[in-house]
Amino acid sequence: MKLAISTLGLPPFNHSYLLPQLRALGVDGLEIAPDHTWKRARYSNEFPFQSVWNYRRVADDAGLDIIGLHAVLGGRLELGLFEDKEHRDHTVAHLVHLSAVCRDLGGKTLTLDTRWRATLPVKQAWFACRDFFEILLPQIEEHGTTLCFAPLPENEGDFCLTARECYTLSLALDHPSFAISLDSAPLAMGDETGHTHFVAAQRLLKIFHIDEPEKAPIGSSGQVDHGDMRQHLVAIGYDGWISIVQRFVKGTVAVDELAGSVRYVEDKYLRADVRSAISPVEATRIKIISDTIAALRPNIQADGGDLELISVNGNRIEVKLHGKCRACGLVGQTLGGIRRRLVSVLNSPIVVVPV
């Protein structure tokens, strides 16, 4: 895994002089919060090209990769997925602009932050979200970037808050420019620390954010088991970016605050002598099971059904049925076919149980 930090941990706007110090801490990359990093051009909602280009030059000189953008709505009230058409069009234009900025910086991911449906009924919000992304995603696909949904704490949204919901949305959209980010604090606060959530997100996981409630320094809250998070990442074979996300507090020395978090993350996530509680053999077995079920799902979906891997406990594999599978009289045959396929690839007896 490779270590990045979010620019939220640095003083707003004027912090490029600190980038060489971050590299000296052992940081490999930067994840940029745009509205915390650049001021918008006068009479425009876009960020000046020269500011963006100068920032990339300083990052390059410091030996830091820019991995992407996050907090891309920046808490701006005039932006959102569920507003009237004028505001939605404005939001699409803003995200397309940021996608181009991300591309020009050499980044790949844009993580969407706050999302509020307010009084819009949940079902209508899902349809509105689908319509929004059907407009947006083909435009950012041309840039080679990926928009990510991540689980959120309840004070940052009221739509698609959990990892399970983010995963469900990604399956519904089924677009190469939409993926998942996982954030440690919302996972812990939402009681989604089980291994099945990591297995489900495995193919779609683009970046893992290391954070605490209220974006406090890493390890300070005692509410997030980062050692456990690391074990799950290792077990699914994740070797991508992990990004420290904490807020800069006025009156503190940003690099000193980040240095403490970097040391903590190196100890919990990056130490070579830390071993996963899940053995490499079992991790490989779980991956085989996950991949086999993923390969069978298109045939099930073609008949209006679906299923989701929930857990692997020894030889007991639990799945959740969706769509027409829930009321289908032939579901026993379907589960039997899945069991026979898994027995074939694992070369050991197993049972497949719907939950």
Side-chain angles (χ1 to χ4, degrees), residues 11 15 41 51-52 67 87-88 113 135 217 224 231 240 246 298 322 342 345 348:
H15 59 244
S51 297
V52 172
I67 66 173
H87 284 86
R88 288 198 306 271
D113 50 331
I135 297 170
V224 181
Q231 290 170 1
Q246 68 183 56
H322 297 280
L342 288 170
V345 298
S348 65

Side-chain angles (χ1 to χ4, degrees), residues 235-293:
I236 64 171
Y238 181 74
D239 60 358
W241 287 100
I242 55 175
S243 180
I244 295 173
V245 182
Q246 68 183 56
R247 291 194 184 280
F248 169 72
V249 177
K250 188 176 181 179
T252 63
V253 179
V255 172
D256 290 348
E257 295 292 311
L258 287 168
S261 293
V262 168
R263 288 193 296 270
Y264 184 91
V265 168
E266 287 177 337
D267 180 63
K268 292 295 184 179
Y269 288 85
L270 300 176
R271 270 174 48 195
D273 60 339
V274 176
R275 295 290 180 260
S276 172
I278 302 173
S279 71
V281 172
E282 180 62 10
T284 299
R285 184 171 176 271
I286 291 172
K287 186 176 188 305
I288 290 171
I289 293 169
S290 177
D291 289 349
T292 301
I293 289 177

Side-chain angles (χ1 to χ4, degrees), residues 41-104:
R42 192 176 184 183
Y43 307 121
S44 171
N45 286 316
E46 297 188 352
F47 298 104
F49 173 80
Q50 195 61 49
S51 297
V52 172
W53 185 252
N54 287 343
Y55 197 90
R56 175 171 183 172
R57 180 177 52 79
V58 174
D60 286 346
D61 290 345
L64 294 168
D65 293 328
I66 295 178
I67 66 173
L69 312 182
H70 79 122
V72 292
L73 296 187
R76 292 163 59 180
L77 298 178
E78 74 274 18
L79 300 175
L81 280 63
F82 308 113
E83 313 300 326
D84 56 50
K85 184 178 184 302
E86 180 180 355
H87 284 86
R88 288 198 306 271
D89 289 348
H90 181 50
T91 304
V92 167
H94 175 71
L95 292 176
V96 170
H97 164 63
L98 287 184
S99 174
V101 168
C102 184
R103 173 202 61 199
D104 294 342

Side-chain angles (χ1 to χ4, degrees), residues 184-203:
S184 59
L187 288 175
M189 299 302 99
D191 196 25
E192 290 191 301
T193 56
H195 188 60
T196 53
H197 297 293
F198 288 80
V199 172
Q202 180 178 357
R203 292 183 303 107

